[in-house]
Amino acid sequence: MSSPAKNRIGQLSLNMAVAVGGVITLVPLVWMVFSSFKTTTEIFRYPPWLMPQELSLSNYESLLAGFPFARWYLNSIFYSAVVTLAVPLLCSLAGYAFAKLEFRGRRALFLLVLTSIVIPFQVVLTPMFILMSRIGWVDTPFAMTVPWVAPVLGIFLMRQYAYAVPTELLEAARIDGASEFRIYWQIVLPLLRSGLAALAIIQFLSSWNSYIWPLMVLRGQESMTLPVGLAGMQAQAAGTATPYGEMMAGATLSSLPVIALFLAAQRYLIAGLTEGARTRRSIRSLGRVR
Amino acid sequence: MRAHEPSRASAAYRLQGGRSPYAFIAPFLLLFAVFFVLPTLASVALALYRWNGAGAPEWVGFSNFRHLLSDPVFWQVARNTAFYTLASVTVLIPLGLVTALGLNSHALRFRGFWRSIYFTPVVVSAAATSLVFQILLSRDAGLLNGVLGLLGLGPVPWLQSRSWAKVGVFMVVAWRSLPLLAVYFLAGLQAIPQELQEAAMTDGAGAVKRFWHITLPLLRPVVLFVLVLVTLNSIQLFDEVQILTEGGPANASATVMQYLYSRGFERLRFGFASSVAALLFGAALSVALVEARALGGLRDDREV
């Protein structure tokens, strides 16, 4: 049995340790924001100092003047918005059908989808790029959206959430003469709300932050997204000094919406991530697909 | 998590769908077939051809694989990738679990606040993160070397030297992925019935004993999931390395994925790239299966 005094020390050290970890977590983000107000000389001054000498907006000005940053921003918003809207819609339709409706081939089709979750992205990377260039989608918005609106994870997530819909409710609606699509639209969809929110957030984040795919299929400066545009700023400036201040300004501006989104919708994001974990674990029960 | 568990009665049966289910799954299935199944099959076939995208592919059998396995650079990047994977598994998983335990403890004040803080890195892009860390890890004026300097250590060339580049990259990977692992562990911890812990407490089991005999065994499925996730993610590592070091100096920090990208894709050797992908996939799958078996085996010992 531990004495109250020992308990207090344990409690104190726990709180201190968590605080230290919290500071380590935050420092890079705070550093990013503060560096965006500094000149390159000040960013690399020694010893390092967090606070800028003055709150100068010149990095932001030259970022917007010297790079198509506003364009990158609009591109990122557009690509992510399309994916964020389309994925929950497509996946909830299919996920609902797999969870609640009986039809020939349901088991086989679902097994096919289930198996594919173990195939990593890099396997399809090369053929997908070839496909894009064959159909003339390289450097078009199509390449950034269409291939990504039907992720397997989304089907799992939606199927999982759709199970919770009471089948009696659907039956009753049928007896009342509602059409199949109307049942989905007016009864199922509202009940899937939290799942849809979680999926939308996960998809928004992965689209907003994706790097290797846009790096491959986007060519012109004007069609870049934020991550590839920002990372490209260091290579682009070869010969001249790397524009660190502008890069930090860009990194700050590009992180603001996702951090705001996270703080506003944390609950859904975490619920969705953990639900996703559960569905992936269910791979082990491949043989027992319902 | 358990909130979505349907009551047996309402979930156990499905409605006879008629034709409408096909209409519901058709859009998904079509996209899935064109943009996933087809490329996967193509990838398998492509690994046996030489093709630069123009003209007809030339059948070369297993020569892509032979070429790959005799390339010293491939072995170098394979070793690097193994380093990142091993480091992630041995460092990040225990650290993620400890973080989750801390964030789950009732003795912690402002729990909601700290959880928000800890999870923020999950949403920031690899690009933004890597650019900031380029500054933080810079040799002459970086914050990390500044702190080490106060202790009379360093300066360490985190991203410039052959021996340190991997460590520098790994720190960035750790900062980005640790919170995600903690999210999973935290969800797992919260699913453990409180009564179990309380019962053990009444029996006089200390915190350490409770952790080993209750928490850890019940967390096993989550540990397995996180283990597989971490392995797969580190085997596919690309974004952070590409932006931080471009794999340098002299491939010292490069990963298999970068090798695939530069050797196969930038030089338009699509067949070769596919053979790298196939090998990577094989490696990922076997490691994941071994991990699943190892942890599954643990269960058999316990429950017999």
Side-chain angles (χ1 to χ4, degrees):
Chain A
M1 275 285 159
S2 50
S3 66
K6 201 173 148 197
N7 247 335
R8 270 204 74 94
I9 294 173
Q11 206 168 331
L12 201 68
S13 40
L14 169 77
N15 278 279
M16 298 243 305
V18 170
V20 169
V23 169
I24 295 176
T25 308
L26 273 190
V27 158
L29 294 173
V30 176
W31 205 266
M32 171 174 87
V33 176
F34 280 109
S35 298
S36 72
F37 299 113
K38 298 176 182 171
T39 61
T40 301
T41 334
E42 210 192 333
I43 289 176
F44 289 101
R45 65 167 264 191
Y46 192 88
W49 193 249
L50 177 64
M51 296 297 286
Q53 275 157 351
E54 51 170 327
L55 280 178
S56 152
L57 288 175
S58 66
N59 287 329
Y60 289 89
E61 282 160 16
S62 55
L63 173 72
L64 292 171
F67 300 88
F69 184 78
R71 189 58 204 265
W72 299 342
Y73 219 102
L74 285 177
N75 292 339
S76 276
I77 290 177
F78 176 72
Y79 302 146
S80 306
V82 172
V83 172
T84 306
L85 290 175
V87 167
L89 189 70
L90 283 177
C91 292
S92 63
L93 265 174
Y96 158 61
F98 277 125
K100 285 291 163 184
L101 302 175
E102 194 53 76
F103 53 97
R104 276 177 73 102
R106 182 183 58 80
R107 267 182 64 110
L109 282 174
F110 194 71
L111 239 141
L112 176 72
V113 177
L114 193 62
T115 323
S116 71
I117 210 164
V118 298
I119 297 171
F121 171 59
Q122 69 267 39
V123 171
V124 297
L125 207 57
T126 312
M128 191 92 114
F129 175 76
I130 297 170
L131 182 63
M132 293 296 116
S133 48
R134 281 282 143 130
I135 56 182
W137 280 10
V138 171
D139 212 18
T140 68
F142 297 117
M144 286 302 297
T145 48
V146 180
W148 308 112
V149 296
V152 173
L153 179 72
I155 296 292
F156 284 114
L157 210 57
M158 286 295 106
R159 178 173 160 272
Q160 203 73 32
Y161 276 91
Y163 270 136
V165 176
T167 312
E168 296 88 345
L169 209 62
L170 310 173
E171 233 167 10
R174 249 193 204 179
I175 293 165
D176 288 349
S179 74
E180 288 300 314
F181 185 76
R182 209 171 141 200
I183 295 176
Y184 158 77
W185 190 255
Q186 294 197 331
I187 297 174
V188 178
L189 215 50
L191 289 173
L192 296 181
R193 247 191 333 253
S194 56
L196 291 167
L199 183 58
I201 296 166
I202 293 172
Q203 289 307 313
F204 180 84
L205 288 175
S206 73
S207 175
W208 186 264
N209 292 337
S210 71
Y211 182 69
I212 189 166
W213 181 250
L215 188 66
M216 288 176 76
V217 296
L218 299 180
R219 292 293 149 81
Q221 274 294 312
E222 292 286 306
S223 54
M224 291 291 168
T225 61
L226 286 167
V228 279
L230 281 175
M233 281 168 72
Q234 48 176 351
Q236 210 180 35
T240 60
T242 310
Y244 282 104
E246 285 85 346
M247 276 155 53
M248 288 304 100
T252 303
L253 289 178
S254 80
S255 305
L256 283 179
V258 279
I259 291 178
L261 179 72
F262 168 71
L263 292 177
Q266 213 186 125
R267 192 164 59 87
Y268 294 111
L269 175 65
I270 289 170
L273 286 175
T274 44
E275 192 72 37
R278 205 167 63 144
T279 48
R280 274 195 225 183
R281 264 189 267 135
S282 71
I283 295 165
R284 285 182 303 160
S285 53
L286 257 181
R288 290 189 279 122
V289 184
R290 292 203 280 176
Chain B
M1 221 155 118
R2 271 177 296 167
H4 309 297
E5 206 64 72
S7 72
R8 253 176 212 291
S10 65
Y13 71 99
R14 292 188 171 81
L15 293 179
Q16 276 307 320
R19 241 174 292 166
S20 65
Y22 298 107
F24 284 1
I25 59 170
F28 164 76
L29 222 53
L30 186 71
L31 289 161
F32 177 70
V34 174
F35 295 110
F36 198 89
V37 180
L38 198 71
T40 306
L41 299 176
S43 183
V44 176
L46 213 52
L48 305 172
Y49 284 88
R50 180 182 300 143
W51 195 40
N52 64 2
E58 178 196 345
W59 168 266
V60 292
F62 285 94
S63 115
N64 281 329
F65 289 98
R66 271 199 298 279
H67 182 101
L68 175 65
L69 294 175
S70 61
D71 181 1
V73 177
F74 171 74
W75 289 106
Q76 158 111 54
V77 297
R79 273 198 306 277
N80 293 345
T81 307
F83 168 86
Y84 293 124
T85 310
L86 222 68
S88 299
V89 168
T90 54
V91 178
L92 296 189
I93 290 182
L95 215 55
L97 182 52
V98 169
T99 307
L101 284 170
L103 292 176
N104 194 41
S105 166
H106 289 290
L108 178 67
R109 309 190 68 190
F110 315 114
R111 279 203 295 179
F113 169 77
W114 286 122
R115 284 181 193 174
S116 300
I117 299 280
Y118 270 76
F119 298 157
T120 314
V122 172
V123 301
V124 179
S125 71
T129 307
S130 304
L131 293 177
V132 183
F133 270 91
Q134 256 182 1
I135 296 171
L136 293 172
L137 297 179
S138 113
R139 188 187 57 191
D140 298 320
L143 178 65
L144 184 58
N145 279 345
V147 173
L148 289 177
L150 293 178
L151 306 170
L153 300 168
V156 179
W158 293 112
L159 300 173
Q160 290 84 16
S161 96
R162 297 199 59 152
S163 39
W164 285 106
K166 278 197 286 283
V167 182
V169 168
F170 178 68
M171 286 197 284
V172 183
V173 173
W175 186 82
R176 284 201 73 221
S177 50
L178 192 64
L180 187 62
L181 308 190
V183 172
Y184 290 128
F185 281 129
L186 194 57
L189 287 174
Q190 284 166 349
I192 295 176
Q194 196 58 42
E195 303 86 60
L196 268 177
Q197 302 278 11
E198 278 160 13
M201 239 162 165
T202 334
D203 289 347
V208 178
K209 208 166 181 182
R210 287 203 306 274
F211 174 76
W212 284 110
H213 293 285
I214 297 175
T215 311
L216 208 51
L218 286 173
L219 221 50
R220 199 181 37 85
V222 185
V223 174
L224 174 62
F225 169 74
V226 168
L227 186 62
V228 173
L229 180 86
V230 165
T231 311
L232 293 181
N233 279 351
S234 13
I235 286 181
Q236 299 179 48
L237 187 63
F238 179 83
D239 297 6
E240 290 91 338
V241 202
Q242 182 73 13
I243 299 168
L244 279 165
T245 65
E246 287 188 75
N251 293 319
S253 62
T255 63
V256 176
M257 200 56 195
Q258 280 180 302
Y259 181 82
L260 186 157
Y261 181 77
S262 69
R263 297 287 159 121
F265 178 76
E266 284 182 342
R267 299 186 195 172
L268 300 181
R269 291 157 68 193
F270 294 139
F272 188 68
S274 296
S275 68
V276 181
L279 217 64
L280 206 54
F281 175 42
L285 195 63
S286 12
V287 174
L289 284 177
V290 167
E291 287 171 347
R293 260 204 100 102
L295 280 186
L298 231 71
R299 163 188 248 166
D300 296 340
D301 294 343
R302 234 164 234 297
E303 286 179 356
V304 163

